[in-house]
Amino acid sequence: MKRHLLFLAPVFFVLSVVNVKADDPLPSWNDSRAKQEIIAFVTKVTDPNSPDFVSQPERIATFDNDGCLWSEKPVYFQLLFAIDRVKTLAVDHPEWKTQEPFASVLKDDLKAVAASGEKGLMQLIAATHAGMTIEQFSTTVGDWLESTKHPTTGKRFNEMVYQPMLELLEYLRDNGFKTFIVSGGGIEFMRPWAENTYGIPPEQVVGSSLKMKYEVRDGVPVLVKLPEVDLIDDKVGKPVGIQSHIGRRPIFAAGNSDGDFQMLEWTTSGQGARFGLVVHHTDAQREWAYDRDSAVGKLDRALDAAPERGWHVIDMKNDWAKIYP
Amino acid sequence: MKRHLLFLAPVFFVLSVVNVKADDPLPSWNDSRAKQEIIAFVTKVTDPNSPDFVSQPERIATFDNDGCLWSEKPVYFQLLFAIDRVKTLAVDHPEWKTQEPFASVLKDDLKAVAASGEKGLMQLIAATHAGMTIEQFSTTVGDWLESTKHPTTGKRFNEMVYQPMLELLEYLRDNGFKTFIVSGGGIEFMRPWAENTYGIPPEQVVGSSLKMKYEVRDGVPVLVKLPEVDLIDDKVGKPVGIQSHIGRRPIFAAGNSDGDFQMLEWTTSGQGARFGLVVHHTDAQREWAYDRDSAVGKLDRALDAAPERGWHVIDMKNDWAKIYP
């Protein structure tokens, strides 16, 4: 009998581990209202007997990236990448010394660069990415992530992802959701690492993009990135990017800034059960605290709109037991 | 004992049905070289012990639609849809009586309409789709498919899909492939029915597209289709559409016309095992026979290139035991 029980022990152990996961799919979330609301939503849309049941193919969840899945301070990480590229390429571009936003980049004036906004960012991106093939660009991004540390935390950038959001992505996928990134950041900047970091494959990454050209160079077909904007996947561009790439309206959307307003609005104004989530950066100790007055990740209109629209505001400081993995 | 066997009979029945499927995943394909080559390819890329093994996430297969998954004669079915829309909307557009390609449409001069080419098609599409929301457009397409029959076969258009290709799509998915449509046809024209007909969800449909605008009309957010081309997903546009939507190079591509040349080239010039498939319309009895001189689905350059590039040409008449389901 005793031997019998010993044989069963590993089974019980496995069962209890599974149970822990099933009991708490979001261990890095404090047991606050936000967590309970997420679980209640997922439970009702996946229960075939619930009036709010949603068939599996319609379970589309979209996540902003900067400030929602990973940090975005002191400036968007992609901007830091572009800055490093400008410095590398500056030897061949003497004119950049007097030309904005390049001049500010070379003077390490991050504030001036950030103030140049989305437009300045796209100029930097066009200048530093144009003429490269997508393979060359992907390699450059991978090498940079591998070799570069964040200026204040000293972590690699893809270590500065939010553990609670990683758990949320997995929890949704475990419940039949397809998870997408829908970011103002560059689509080809995110793709090389999104699969390993977030479990989100390249075909489920939506982002700002440059136009591309297909050509055969010395017998070798290549796709070349052109210095011309295709889509700015921010604000009113987000629902457009969602429709273009996904072709269905999400039932769950997560963001953290006014750039996500229209994605949240588009998502939560559909029929049936919907969930809008806003990450509010309130933790100056473990991460950063900012909202209405921040040049990066400004959260103002969406914060005001959240209560009347039923969007769930996550208080990072109080709702998250852990920030980074 | 006898009773025991009777109980087992249904199990054996189920097993033997499963075996038939496992033995012949492509029952509507004659046992020709083409079929054997497809099976040999799928076998080697899915066998972990094969030097040609491809990990599951990289198993991307792309299919043209017109003339590859469904028929395209006498003209692209989407053109027939646009023609019906022009006739419906003509009461509000007296100027169309003298303005091409609308004048030819109203005179039922299909040849002149077809001769206006991709550009004419896009003009018709812009004129008949602009200002509609994506929901309105989706409903219009669904209603049309439901109510309209093909002019010569009398079948519904989505009954004119190729049974052998349906089996191929399923065979690939059963082997861990993700299947995509990559078509010169309109992305929003295919999405409403691609999931039911092909098992391909909206997020795996790539096609030509119009620009869209997000706006809030009387408090209701809508996405409106604009009369401005976003992408023509044909020829050099196909690898661009593939990269934009999928972000990886396919390892399997199927087409039937010169419009698929660059998709086949891009796919089969990647490293490792690749498969390029060209459907050659050779069956005037059961479907249509055409290639080099056809205004629709012209197959000339790709037919010449196939032998040297190792693309597998499907002889519809001899390789397919069945055409439509």
Side-chain angles (χ1 to χ4, degrees):
Chain A
M1 192 65 176
K2 224 175 180 177
R3 206 178 151 195
H4 212 142
L5 281 175
L6 269 174
F7 268 107
L8 281 174
V11 175
F12 283 116
F13 177 72
V14 167
L15 283 176
S16 68
V17 167
V18 168
N19 271 338
V20 164
K21 207 189 156 188
D23 285 351
D24 191 355
L26 303 171
S28 299
W29 291 68
N30 289 324
D31 197 23
S32 61
R33 201 177 68 174
K35 176 174 178 170
Q36 288 158 12
E37 286 167 341
I38 291 170
I39 292 173
F41 174 78
V42 171
T43 303
K44 73 181 179 181
V45 298
T46 55
D47 173 6
N49 298 316
S50 160
D52 294 312
F53 177 73
V54 176
S55 69
Q56 189 167 332
E58 296 292 339
R59 290 181 211 153
I60 302 289
T62 55
F63 288 78
D64 175 49
N65 186 43
D66 299 305
C68 184
L69 294 180
W70 76 352
S71 294
E72 59 182 351
K73 287 281 185 176
V75 290
Y76 300 123
F77 295 172
Q78 187 175 3
L79 186 50
L80 298 177
F81 166 78
I83 285 168
D84 285 350
R85 293 293 303 158
V86 166
K87 289 179 178 172
T88 303
L89 299 171
V91 282
D92 298 322
H93 292 275
E95 75 278 11
W96 284 355
K97 277 183 195 139
T98 54
Q99 192 182 315
E100 290 299 347
F102 307 100
S104 295
V105 169
L106 296 174
K107 280 180 280 184
D108 277 321
D109 186 351
L110 275 189
K111 217 167 169 180
V113 176
S116 74
E118 196 81 38
K119 196 189 154 202
L121 178 61
M122 287 310 296
Q123 274 182 295
L124 287 179
I125 287 171
T128 53
H129 304 23
M132 293 180 93
T133 69
I134 50 150
E135 271 102 352
Q136 288 165 341
F137 184 68
S138 175
T139 305
T140 308
V141 171
D143 291 349
W144 180 78
L145 273 183
E146 203 58 38
S147 62
T148 318
K149 302 278 172 69
H150 185 275
T152 60
T153 69
K155 288 178 189 284
R156 285 205 192 136
F157 294 103
N158 53 353
E159 292 169 345
M160 291 176 68
V161 294
Y162 305 133
Q163 177 63 24
M165 295 303 266
L166 297 181
E167 292 167 9
L168 176 55
L169 285 168
E170 201 178 339
Y171 173 53
L172 290 171
R173 288 192 294 260
D174 285 348
N175 282 280
F177 280 76
K178 227 176 200 178
T179 54
F180 289 80
I181 293 174
V182 177
S183 169
I187 189 169
E188 301 298 351
F189 179 74
M190 296 179 283
R191 280 173 163 165
W193 51 273
E195 192 158 29
N196 275 339
T197 304
Y198 301 132
I200 296 179
E203 61 269 25
Q204 286 163 224
V205 176
V206 183
S208 295
S209 54
L210 299 178
K211 287 194 191 297
M212 285 176 281
K213 188 174 70 170
Y214 178 78
E215 61 183 38
V216 180
R217 289 181 175 173
D218 300 327
V220 180
V222 290
L223 279 166
V224 184
K225 290 161 74 68
L226 302 177
E228 197 184 337
V229 171
D230 181 38
L231 172 70
I232 296 203
D233 189 48
D234 198 38
K235 301 189 176 75
V236 291
K238 288 211 176 192
V240 171
I242 286 170
Q243 181 59 28
S244 170
H245 285 257
I246 308 176
R248 344 190 188 228
R249 199 192 293 222
I251 65 165
F252 184 108
N256 70 294
S257 79
D258 285 356
D260 302 309
F261 188 94
Q262 286 83 358
M263 172 168 75
L264 289 161
E265 180 178 65
W266 177 239
T267 299
T268 59
S269 60
Q271 289 191 315
R274 306 276 158 164
F275 201 96
L277 186 156
V278 178
V279 175
H280 190 190
H281 292 261
T282 52
D283 197 329
Q285 221 105 55
R286 297 182 301 170
E287 207 243 6
W288 282 270
Y290 58 96
D291 45 38
R292 298 180 195 275
D293 301 319
S294 179
V296 167
K298 178 179 174 169
L299 176 65
D300 185 28
R301 185 184 171 202
L303 196 57
D304 289 337
E308 74 205 47
R309 292 179 183 246
W311 299 342
H312 306 260
V313 178
I314 304 302
D315 175 349
M316 193 180 253
K317 186 174 178 180
N318 293 306
D319 288 332
W320 287 359
K322 201 174 177 181
I323 305 284
Y324 300 127
Chain B
M1 191 65 177
K2 226 175 178 176
R3 206 177 151 196
H4 212 141
L5 280 175
L6 270 174
F7 267 106
L8 281 174
V11 175
F12 282 117
F13 177 73
V14 167
L15 283 175
S16 69
V17 168
V18 168
N19 271 337
V20 164
K21 204 190 159 189
D23 285 351
D24 190 355
L26 302 171
S28 299
W29 291 69
N30 289 323
D31 197 23
S32 61
R33 201 176 68 176
K35 176 174 177 169
Q36 289 159 12
E37 286 168 343
I38 291 169
I39 293 173
F41 174 78
V42 171
T43 303
K44 73 181 180 183
V45 299
T46 54
D47 172 5
N49 297 317
S50 160
D52 293 313
F53 177 73
V54 175
S55 70
Q56 189 167 332
E58 296 291 339
R59 290 181 212 153
I60 302 290
T62 55
F63 288 78
D64 175 49
N65 186 41
D66 298 306
C68 184
L69 294 180
W70 74 353
S71 294
E72 59 182 350
K73 287 283 185 176
V75 291
Y76 300 122
F77 295 172
Q78 187 175 3
L79 187 49
L80 298 177
F81 166 77
I83 285 169
D84 285 351
R85 294 293 303 156
V86 166
K87 289 178 178 173
T88 303
L89 300 171
V91 283
D92 298 322
H93 292 275
E95 75 279 10
W96 284 355
K97 278 183 193 139
T98 55
Q99 192 182 317
E100 291 298 349
F102 306 100
S104 295
V105 169
L106 296 174
K107 281 180 282 183
D108 277 322
D109 186 351
L110 275 188
K111 216 169 169 179
V113 176
S116 75
E118 195 81 40
K119 196 189 154 202
L121 178 61
M122 287 313 293
Q123 274 181 293
L124 287 180
I125 288 171
T128 53
H129 304 23
M132 294 180 92
T133 69
I134 49 151
E135 271 102 353
Q136 287 165 340
F137 184 68
S138 176
T139 304
T140 308
V141 172
D143 291 347
W144 179 79
L145 273 183
E146 203 58 40
S147 63
T148 317
K149 301 278 171 70
H150 186 274
T152 62
T153 69
K155 289 177 189 284
R156 282 203 194 138
F157 294 103
N158 53 354
E159 291 169 347
M160 292 177 67
V161 296
Y162 305 132
Q163 177 62 26
M165 296 302 268
L166 297 182
E167 293 167 7
L168 176 55
L169 285 168
E170 200 178 341
Y171 174 52
L172 290 171
R173 288 193 294 259
D174 284 348
N175 282 280
F177 280 76
K178 226 176 201 179
T179 54
F180 289 81
I181 292 174
V182 177
S183 169
I187 189 168
E188 300 299 350
F189 178 74
M190 298 180 282
R191 280 173 164 164
W193 50 274
E195 191 157 28
N196 275 338
T197 304
Y198 302 133
I200 296 179
E203 61 269 26
Q204 286 163 223
V205 176
V206 182
S208 295
S209 55
L210 299 178
K211 287 192 192 296
M212 283 176 282
K213 188 174 69 169
Y214 178 80
E215 61 185 37
V216 180
R217 289 181 175 173
D218 299 328
V220 180
V222 289
L223 279 166
V224 184
K225 290 162 73 69
L226 302 177
E228 197 185 335
V229 171
D230 182 38
L231 171 71
I232 295 203
D233 189 48
D234 198 38
K235 301 189 176 76
V236 292
K238 287 212 177 194
V240 171
I242 288 170
Q243 181 59 29
S244 169
H245 285 258
I246 310 177
R248 350 188 185 228
R249 199 191 294 222
I251 65 165
F252 185 109
N256 70 295
S257 78
D258 286 356
D260 302 308
F261 188 95
Q262 286 82 1
M263 173 168 76
L264 289 161
E265 179 178 68
W266 178 239
T267 299
T268 59
S269 60
Q271 288 191 317
R274 304 277 158 164
F275 201 96
L277 186 157
V278 179
V279 175
H280 189 190
H281 291 260
T282 52
D283 198 328
Q285 222 106 53
R286 297 183 300 171
E287 207 242 6
W288 282 271
Y290 58 96
D291 46 37
R292 298 182 195 275
D293 300 319
S294 179
V296 168
K298 177 178 175 171
L299 176 64
D300 185 28
R301 185 182 172 204
L303 196 58
D304 289 337
E308 73 205 47
R309 291 177 184 248
W311 299 342
H312 305 261
V313 178
I314 304 303
D315 175 348
M316 194 180 253
K317 185 175 177 180
N318 293 306
D319 288 332
W320 286 0
K322 200 175 180 179
I323 305 285
Y324 300 127

